Amino acid sequence: MVHDGAPAGAGGWTSPLALVLLMGGALLLVAFVWRQAGSPGALVPAHLFRDRDRVGSLLALLFLGLGLLVTFLILTRYLQVVLEYPVARSGTALLPMAAAAVIAATQVAARLCHRLAPRKLIVPGLLLTAAGLVVLTGIDADSAYTAQVLPGTLLIGFGAGLAFTPLFTTATDGIAPQDSGGTSAVVLAAQNLGGWAAWPLFGTVLASAVSARLSGASDIPAPLVAAAAAGVPFNGHNLPQSLSGALERVNAAIMDGYSAVLWWTAGLTLLASLLAALMITARAPRR
């Protein structure tokens, strides 16, 4: 049996401890921003956030970072447990996504960013990423890698690569030398913040979907239902044969949970594309 701990500890993201820590972190962040806003030597001057192009790029980076981490979390578990790929093979299975991202960033976006307005690359890139996430919502225990996983990951990788270059360029454009360090930190923080936000989204939506699917299943042992809320499928190699039917239903519920998380992530990526289309109005660089 493969299992890891429930997200945010045994109580999940709605436990009192998790909520207190999240609120405390949010208050500290607000206090830091307030202190920096009134400081003449602020790490990141407040005027940088008055640029709608920069703010739009930061928001898009946040959602894109979220989507990529959710994809990695789900595919790692799916490949290693459901398809029973060894660790090395599961890593190899994700290489096409990385290759697509590199090709899109270096051979497409890098060549076109000097000719096109940033949003003409960012919006299509985010839409392709969302399309790839939608493709992955259909994965189940019987899905073939080449028919389902590979097309989805190629779309995600190519879309992310297409969007990343103009997003980073727009977010750092027009920065004075003395502000370059703080601005670069904000750009990286926005991307990483999306990754951090992926954990509560992944854990909460997944646990809710699995619990809803298994509610009322009196024939499935309660410990098995509780363990399924962590979102890790069971291979059943070390469990009694009598539980095979229950395991099949539990794994089907987990796959439904993966689908729900991916639909949420696709929706947030579409929201990012809308924000980019409305907020990023910078024109193509002059030749």
Side-chain angles (χ1 to χ4, degrees), residues 48 51-59 170-175 183:
L48 296 179
D51 186 333
R52 60 183 294 170
D53 292 324
R54 182 170 295 109
V55 173
S57 298
L58 293 174
L59 290 174
T170 304
T172 57
D173 186 48
I175 298 298
T183 305

Side-chain angles (χ1 to χ4, degrees), residues 28 30 39 42 46 59 61 85-86 91 112 134 157 173-174 180 201 208 216 218 240 246 254 261 267:
L28 288 173
V30 170
S39 173
L59 290 174
L61 282 170
Y85 282 11
L112 296 178
V134 170
D173 186 48
S180 59
L201 172 69
S208 177
S218 57
I254 293 173
V261 174

Side-chain angles (χ1 to χ4, degrees), residues 138-165:
I139 59 174
D140 55 33
D142 300 320
S143 298
Y145 170 79
T146 54
Q148 194 90 44
V149 178
L150 183 60
T153 54
L154 286 176
L155 285 171
I156 292 171
F158 193 88
L162 192 64
F164 266 133
T165 297

Side-chain angles (χ1 to χ4, degrees), residues 252-282:
I254 293 173
M255 296 307 300
D256 285 348
Y258 287 172
S259 180
V261 174
L262 288 167
W263 275 114
W264 270 92
T265 309
L268 291 175
T269 307
L270 288 175
L271 175 61
S273 68
L274 178 61
L275 292 174
L278 296 176
M279 298 183 68
I280 302 176
T281 58

Side-chain angles (χ1 to χ4, degrees), residues 64-78 94 97 129 132-133 136 152-153 156-157 198 202 261-262 265:
L64 189 53
L66 183 152
L68 293 177
L69 182 57
V70 166
T71 302
F72 178 78
L73 288 171
I74 289 178
L75 288 181
T76 300
R77 297 179 177 188
Y78 177 75
L94 295 176
M97 181 169 66
T129 303
L133 290 166
L136 291 182
T153 54
I156 292 171
F202 178 79
V261 174
L262 288 167
T265 309

